[in-house]
Amino acid sequence: MKYIKNSFKGLKPYHSSLITDGIILNANESPYNPPKVIIEEFKKEVEKIEFNRYPDMDERELCHSIAKRFNVNDNNVTIGVGSDELLDCVFRAVIDNGDKVVSFSPSFSMYKVFTELVGGEFVGVYGDDFKFNVDDMISSIKNNNPKLVLICLPNNPTGGFLSEKDVRRIIETTSGLVLLDLAYIDFSGYDYTNIALEYDNVISFRTFSKAMSLPSIRCGYAISRDFNIDMINSIKAPYSVTTMSQIMARIANDHFNLYKVQIDLIISERERLYNNLLNLGFKVYPSKANFIFVIMNDKYFDILLENKIYIRKFKENTYRITVGSQKENDTLIEVLKCAKQN
């Protein structure tokens, strides 16, 4: 990276290899395509697109659909290229050199990257045995007076969760802006999205990539008070969300009820996979997401790779396994079971 400025020289490109063969359990994707009704409706809408025109920069139809679903006003919603773009906008809008950002750790790796890109200081709050410690978070907020506080619920990569009471305790501790990253919230049985409308200093972020099976369209959204939405929109690049992404996301959102069967299947498989991994003797953490955090010897990762089963490796002996289909999970369990016996 010959021309990169000195403050960025330690950064490495974020990269995830394209895998086209085998069992893919490393990216927290849904094992299911969107319901057929949604795909068929999208095909009809595509025929109407004027491809020689720019997308609707205000994403009006999609914002209206989301606002209706969450019973908020249209001006409480904004759309981005995944929730990542919107998070990045907030960091760029809020953080100056030396400002502090506090987050539970480990959590989504891009939080630290976003912080460093704008010259901020990232402060991780590490709990014992990968578990949240709300009291430690509150102490860190009081000691550091951060401009931003990040809470990922359920947490990526550990699957940890917080009660609504604890979420509110954190929010009410800080005068900084609290970002609720709810990418996996649909697998939790709870929904904290509209908490963002109760406080001046909270923004909720959601995505179409996980429970709604649409990572291919790269579409996410934020919900908050209108002045926070205006702040994001003032930073966001124009025309960033394509016409096709807006259409597909709007159709999927209008038919969110059709996803309930898929979500319930993933939750059921998550619990079955958790119990099987536990019975095999691995250290497994309870999860409210569509993945499971596991401690296991690296040799098992190598054995899975030999069988074209791909999971996400973190530090030594630390892994995140996406919940796949019943057949995929059965194959994973069988390979690990055979490895344990040999």
Coordinates of all heavy atoms in Angstrom, one line a residue, residues 118-162:
V118 N -11.1 7.3 11.7 CA -11.4 8.7 12.0 C -10.6 9.2 13.1 O -10.9 10.3 13.6 CB -12.9 8.9 12.3 CG1 -13.8 8.6 11.0 CG2 -13.4 8.0 13.4
G119 N -9.6 8.5 13.5 CA -8.6 9.0 14.5 C -9.1 8.9 16.0 O -8.5 9.5 16.9
G120 N -10.1 8.1 16.2 CA -10.6 7.9 17.6 C -9.8 6.8 18.3 O -8.9 6.2 17.8
E121 N -10.1 6.7 19.6 CA -9.5 5.7 20.5 C -10.5 4.6 20.9 O -11.6 5.0 21.5 CB -8.9 6.3 21.7 CG -8.2 5.4 22.6 CD -7.7 6.0 23.9 OE1 -7.6 7.2 24.0 OE2 -7.5 5.2 24.9
F122 N -10.3 3.4 20.5 CA -11.2 2.3 20.8 C -10.9 1.7 22.2 O -9.8 1.4 22.5 CB -11.1 1.2 19.7 CG -12.1 0.1 19.9 CD1 -13.4 0.2 19.4 CD2 -11.8 -1.1 20.6 CE1 -14.3 -0.8 19.6 CE2 -12.7 -2.1 20.7 CZ -14.0 -2.0 20.2
V123 N -12.0 1.6 23.0 CA -11.8 1.0 24.3 C -12.7 -0.2 24.4 O -14.0 -0.1 24.4 CB -12.2 2.0 25.4 CG1 -12.1 1.4 26.8 CG2 -11.4 3.3 25.3
G124 N -12.1 -1.4 24.5 CA -12.9 -2.6 24.6 C -13.2 -3.0 26.1 O -12.3 -2.8 26.9
V125 N -14.4 -3.4 26.3 CA -14.8 -3.9 27.7 C -14.9 -5.4 27.6 O -15.8 -6.0 27.1 CB -16.1 -3.3 28.1 CG1 -16.5 -3.8 29.5 CG2 -16.0 -1.8 28.1
Y126 N -13.9 -6.1 28.2 CA -13.8 -7.5 28.1 C -14.3 -8.2 29.4 O -13.9 -7.8 30.5 CB -12.3 -8.0 27.9 CG -11.7 -7.6 26.6 CD1 -11.2 -6.3 26.4 CD2 -11.7 -8.4 25.5 CE1 -10.7 -5.9 25.2 CE2 -11.2 -8.1 24.3 CZ -10.7 -6.8 24.1 OH -10.2 -6.4 22.9
G127 N -15.3 -9.1 29.2 CA -15.8 -9.8 30.4 C -15.1 -11.1 30.6 O -14.4 -11.6 29.7
D128 N -15.3 -11.7 31.7 CA -14.7 -13.0 32.0 C -15.4 -14.1 31.2 O -16.6 -14.1 31.1 CB -14.9 -13.3 33.5 CG -14.0 -12.4 34.4 OD1 -13.0 -11.9 33.9 OD2 -14.4 -12.3 35.6
D129 N -14.6 -14.9 30.6 CA -15.1 -16.1 29.8 C -16.1 -15.6 28.7 O -17.2 -16.2 28.5 CB -15.8 -17.1 30.7 CG -16.0 -18.4 30.1 OD1 -15.3 -18.8 29.2 OD2 -17.0 -19.1 30.5
F130 N -15.8 -14.5 28.0 CA -16.5 -14.0 26.8 C -17.9 -13.6 27.2 O -18.8 -13.5 26.3 CB -16.6 -15.1 25.7 CG -15.2 -15.4 25.2 CD1 -14.6 -16.6 25.5 CD2 -14.5 -14.6 24.4 CE1 -13.4 -17.0 25.1 CE2 -13.2 -14.9 23.9 CZ -12.7 -16.1 24.2
K131 N -18.2 -13.2 28.4 CA -19.6 -12.8 28.8 C -19.6 -11.3 29.1 O -18.7 -10.8 29.6 CB -20.0 -13.6 30.1 CG -20.1 -15.1 29.7 CD -20.4 -15.9 31.0 CE -20.5 -17.4 30.7 NZ -20.6 -18.3 31.9
F132 N -20.8 -10.7 28.8 CA -21.0 -9.3 29.0 C -20.9 -9.0 30.5 O -21.4 -9.8 31.3 CB -22.3 -8.9 28.6 CG -22.5 -8.7 27.1 CD1 -23.6 -9.1 26.4 CD2 -21.4 -8.2 26.3 CE1 -23.8 -8.9 25.1 CE2 -21.6 -8.0 24.9 CZ -22.7 -8.4 24.3
N133 N -20.3 -7.9 30.9 CA -20.3 -7.4 32.3 C -20.8 -6.0 32.2 O -20.1 -5.1 31.8 CB -19.0 -7.5 33.0 CG -19.1 -7.2 34.4 OD1 -19.7 -6.2 34.8 ND2 -18.4 -8.0 35.3
V134 N -22.1 -5.8 32.5 CA -22.7 -4.5 32.3 C -22.2 -3.5 33.3 O -22.0 -2.3 33.0 CB -24.3 -4.6 32.5 CG1 -24.9 -3.2 32.5 CG2 -24.9 -5.5 31.4
D135 N -21.8 -3.9 34.5 CA -21.2 -3.0 35.5 C -19.9 -2.5 35.0 O -19.6 -1.3 35.2 CB -21.1 -3.7 36.9 CG -22.4 -3.9 37.6 OD1 -23.4 -3.2 37.3 OD2 -22.5 -4.9 38.4
D136 N -19.1 -3.4 34.4 CA -17.8 -3.0 33.8 C -18.0 -2.0 32.7 O -17.2 -1.0 32.5 CB -17.0 -4.2 33.4 CG -16.4 -4.9 34.5 OD1 -16.5 -4.5 35.7 OD2 -15.8 -6.0 34.3
M137 N -19.0 -2.2 31.9 CA -19.3 -1.3 30.8 C -19.7 0.1 31.3 O -19.2 1.1 30.9 CB -20.5 -1.8 29.9 CG -21.1 -0.9 28.9 SD -19.9 -0.3 27.7 CE -20.1 -1.5 26.4
I138 N -20.5 0.1 32.3 CA -20.9 1.4 32.9 C -19.7 2.1 33.6 O -19.6 3.3 33.4 CB -22.0 1.2 34.0 CG1 -23.3 0.8 33.2 CG2 -22.3 2.4 34.8 CD1 -24.5 0.3 34.2
S139 N -18.8 1.4 34.2 CA -17.6 2.0 34.8 C -16.7 2.5 33.7 O -16.2 3.6 33.8 CB -16.8 0.9 35.6 OG -17.6 0.5 36.7
S140 N -16.6 1.8 32.6 CA -15.8 2.3 31.5 C -16.4 3.5 30.9 O -15.6 4.5 30.5 CB -15.7 1.2 30.4 OG -14.8 1.6 29.3
I141 N -17.7 3.6 30.7 CA -18.3 4.8 30.2 C -18.0 6.0 31.1 O -17.7 7.1 30.7 CB -19.8 4.6 30.1 CG1 -20.1 3.6 28.9 CG2 -20.6 5.9 29.8 CD1 -21.5 3.1 28.8
K142 N -18.2 5.8 32.4 CA -17.9 6.9 33.4 C -16.5 7.3 33.4 O -16.2 8.5 33.5 CB -18.3 6.4 34.8 CG -19.8 6.3 35.0 CD -20.2 5.8 36.4 CE -21.7 5.7 36.5 NZ -22.1 5.2 37.9
N143 N -15.5 6.4 33.2 CA -14.1 6.7 33.2 C -13.6 7.4 31.9 O -12.7 8.2 31.9 CB -13.3 5.4 33.5 CG -13.5 4.9 34.9 OD1 -13.8 5.7 35.8 ND2 -13.2 3.6 35.1
N144 N -14.3 7.0 30.8 CA -13.7 7.4 29.5 C -14.6 8.5 28.8 O -14.1 9.1 27.9 CB -13.7 6.2 28.5 CG -12.6 5.2 28.9 OD1 -11.4 5.5 28.8 ND2 -13.0 4.1 29.5
N145 N -15.8 8.7 29.3 CA -16.7 9.7 28.7 C -16.7 9.6 27.2 O -16.3 10.6 26.4 CB -16.3 11.1 29.1 CG -17.3 12.2 28.8 OD1 -18.5 11.9 28.7 ND2 -16.8 13.4 28.5
P146 N -17.1 8.5 26.6 CA -17.0 8.3 25.2 C -18.0 9.1 24.4 O -19.1 9.4 24.9 CB -17.3 6.8 25.0 CG -18.2 6.4 26.2 CD -17.7 7.3 27.3
K147 N -17.6 9.4 23.1 CA -18.6 10.0 22.2 C -19.6 9.0 21.7 O -20.7 9.3 21.4 CB -17.8 10.6 21.0 CG -17.1 11.9 21.4 CD -18.1 13.1 21.4 CE -17.4 14.4 21.4 NZ -16.8 14.8 20.1
L148 N -19.1 7.7 21.5 CA -19.9 6.6 21.0 C -19.8 5.4 21.9 O -18.7 5.1 22.4 CB -19.5 6.2 19.6 CG -19.8 7.1 18.4 CD1 -19.3 6.5 17.1 CD2 -21.2 7.5 18.3
V149 N -21.0 4.7 22.1 CA -21.0 3.5 22.8 C -21.7 2.4 21.9 O -22.8 2.7 21.4 CB -21.8 3.6 24.1 CG1 -22.0 2.2 24.8 CG2 -21.2 4.6 25.1
L150 N -21.0 1.3 21.7 CA -21.5 0.3 20.8 C -22.0 -0.9 21.6 O -21.4 -1.4 22.5 CB -20.4 -0.3 19.9 CG -20.0 0.5 18.6 CD1 -21.1 0.5 17.6 CD2 -19.6 1.9 18.9
I151 N -23.3 -1.4 21.2 CA -23.8 -2.6 21.8 C -24.4 -3.4 20.7 O -25.3 -3.1 20.0 CB -25.0 -2.3 22.8 CG1 -24.6 -1.2 23.8 CG2 -25.4 -3.5 23.5 CD1 -25.7 -0.8 24.8
C152 N -23.8 -4.6 20.5 CA -24.2 -5.5 19.5 C -25.1 -6.6 20.1 O -24.6 -7.4 21.0 CB -23.0 -6.1 18.8 SG -23.4 -7.3 17.4
L153 N -26.3 -6.7 19.7 CA -27.3 -7.6 20.4 C -28.1 -8.4 19.3 O -28.8 -7.8 18.6 CB -28.2 -6.9 21.3 CG -27.6 -6.2 22.5 CD1 -28.6 -5.3 23.2 CD2 -27.1 -7.3 23.5
P154 N -28.0 -9.7 19.3 CA -27.0 -10.6 20.0 C -25.6 -10.2 19.5 O -25.4 -9.8 18.4 CB -27.4 -12.0 19.6 CG -28.9 -11.9 19.2 CD -29.0 -10.5 18.5
N155 N -24.7 -10.5 20.4 CA -23.3 -10.1 20.1 C -22.6 -11.0 19.1 O -22.7 -12.3 19.2 CB -22.5 -10.1 21.4 CG -21.1 -9.5 21.1 OD1 -20.9 -8.5 20.5 ND2 -20.1 -10.3 21.6
N156 N -22.0 -10.4 18.1 CA -21.1 -11.2 17.2 C -19.7 -11.0 17.6 O -19.2 -9.9 17.6 CB -21.3 -10.6 15.8 CG -20.5 -11.2 14.7 OD1 -20.0 -12.3 14.9 ND2 -20.3 -10.5 13.6
P157 N -18.9 -12.1 17.9 CA -19.2 -13.5 17.6 C -19.7 -14.4 18.7 O -19.8 -15.6 18.5 CB -17.8 -13.9 17.2 CG -16.9 -13.2 18.2 CD -17.5 -11.9 18.4
T158 N -20.0 -13.9 19.9 CA -20.2 -14.8 21.0 C -21.7 -15.2 21.1 O -22.0 -16.2 21.8 CB -19.8 -14.1 22.3 OG1 -20.6 -13.0 22.6 CG2 -18.3 -13.7 22.3
G159 N -22.6 -14.5 20.5 CA -24.0 -14.8 20.7 C -24.6 -14.3 22.0 O -25.8 -14.6 22.2
G160 N -23.9 -13.6 22.8 CA -24.4 -13.1 24.1 C -25.5 -12.1 23.9 O -25.6 -11.4 22.9
F161 N -26.3 -11.9 25.0 CA -27.4 -11.1 24.9 C -27.6 -10.3 26.2 O -27.0 -10.7 27.2 CB -28.7 -11.9 24.6 CG -29.8 -11.1 24.0 CD1 -29.7 -10.5 22.8 CD2 -31.0 -11.0 24.7 CE1 -30.7 -9.8 22.2 CE2 -32.1 -10.3 24.1 CZ -31.9 -9.7 22.9
L162 N -28.3 -9.2 26.2 CA -28.6 -8.5 27.4 C -30.1 -8.3 27.5 O -30.9 -8.2 26.6 CB -28.0 -7.1 27.3 CG -26.5 -7.0 27.4 CD1 -26.0 -5.5 27.2 CD2 -25.9 -7.5 28.7

